[in-house]
Amino acid sequence: MEKAIQQYLKSNGFEALRPKAVLFDMDGVLYDSMPNHAIAWQRAMAKFGIHMTEADAYATEGARGVDTIRMMVKKQQGRDIDEAGAQRMYDEKTRQFHALPETPVMPGIPELMAHINADGLTIGVVTGSGQRPLINRLIKDFGEYLNEEHIVTAYDVKHGKPNPDPYLMGLHKCGNLKPWEAFVVENAPLGVKAGVAAQIFTIAVNTGPLPNEVLTDAGANLIFEKMLDLAEAWHQLYTFNP
């Protein structure tokens, strides 16, 4: 942990890490939802003649849904579609997702949020989703720690993950913070790349099927195997001052 923080400070030219907020991704981080998303993606895209695999769903996790669709259509059908056309396809993916059973909160998240809240930090969410029912559920499940003003969705930015824009917007929404004043918690390579591109200390929790090396290669500053491990390490991480 000490080495990771010191390397982060050195590589970004920052003097200190002074966190005031934690910016969470949603799917695969707050909720154990990626298996359902993979099913929904495959079923929805098949209706439009697009072959999407489970591996494709995990590889593009964190990106704006419309960006994923435009990429897949271009790759498989050799044509460009506009955002409105991609949105119509994404609406079907949303319908398929909500037809599946509700996904559980990720084990360790309630404990971690309680620790963060007790230390007086702001909690934000930065998601590539824009589905209103999911935003409503965030408030229902985490309203004790989270308010809607601190949520960034696909519709708040033009360029989604792996671009830095979503996490830069997260810094803005959580109080116009500087990069060294926040942590990012992610589980997917595109999200890790976005956090790193925003120069925020980025923690990866490998809740999916990808090998750790994929997250390391994306630039993760620290990797944990489970959210419970991060919850247990929170106090040491937050109070560490190299």
Side-chain angles (χ1 to χ4, degrees), residues 69 86-96 155:
I69 289 168
Q87 182 63 54
R88 287 190 291 272
M89 295 171 69
Y90 186 63
D91 289 343
E92 173 61 20
K93 186 265 175 178
T94 299
R95 189 189 72 79
Q96 292 283 349
Y155 302 120

Side-chain angles (χ1 to χ4, degrees), residues 4-14 196 199 221:
I5 293 175
Q6 290 177 336
Q7 179 59 41
Y8 161 79
L9 296 174
K10 180 179 179 180
S11 63
N12 288 284
F14 299 151
V196 171
Q199 294 184 288
N221 299 109

Side-chain angles (χ1 to χ4, degrees), residues 149-206:
E149 294 178 356
H150 299 149
I151 300 174
V152 177
T153 75
Y155 302 120
D156 288 312
V157 294
K158 183 177 181 180
H159 303 291
K161 302 172 186 177
N163 297 289
D165 305 41
Y167 281 111
L168 294 176
M169 180 61 72
L171 291 175
H172 174 72
K173 285 196 170 192
C174 288
N176 292 315
L177 302 179
K178 302 298 184 183
W180 61 85
E181 294 180 315
F183 290 122
V184 162
V185 181
E186 269 283 356
N187 73 309
L190 293 185
V192 168
K193 288 180 179 180
V196 171
Q199 294 184 288
I200 306 171
F201 190 90
T202 301
I203 302 163
V205 184
N206 196 355

Side-chain angles (χ1 to χ4, degrees), residues 134-160:
L134 293 180
I135 308 307
N136 292 341
R137 189 182 175 197
L138 283 172
I139 301 303
K140 176 177 70 73
D141 290 342
F142 307 114
E144 182 179 356
Y145 311 120
L146 175 70
N147 68 61
E148 190 164 346
E149 294 178 356
H150 299 149
I151 300 174
V152 177
T153 75
Y155 302 120
D156 288 312
V157 294
K158 183 177 181 180
H159 303 291

Side-chain angles (χ1 to χ4, degrees), residues 70-89:
R70 295 175 78 176
M71 179 271 292
M72 295 293 290
V73 169
K74 180 68 172 178
K75 182 179 179 180
Q76 294 192 20
Q77 298 181 346
R79 62 188 180 94
D80 295 310
I81 60 171
D82 60 18
E83 187 140 343
Q87 182 63 54
R88 287 190 291 272
M89 295 171 69

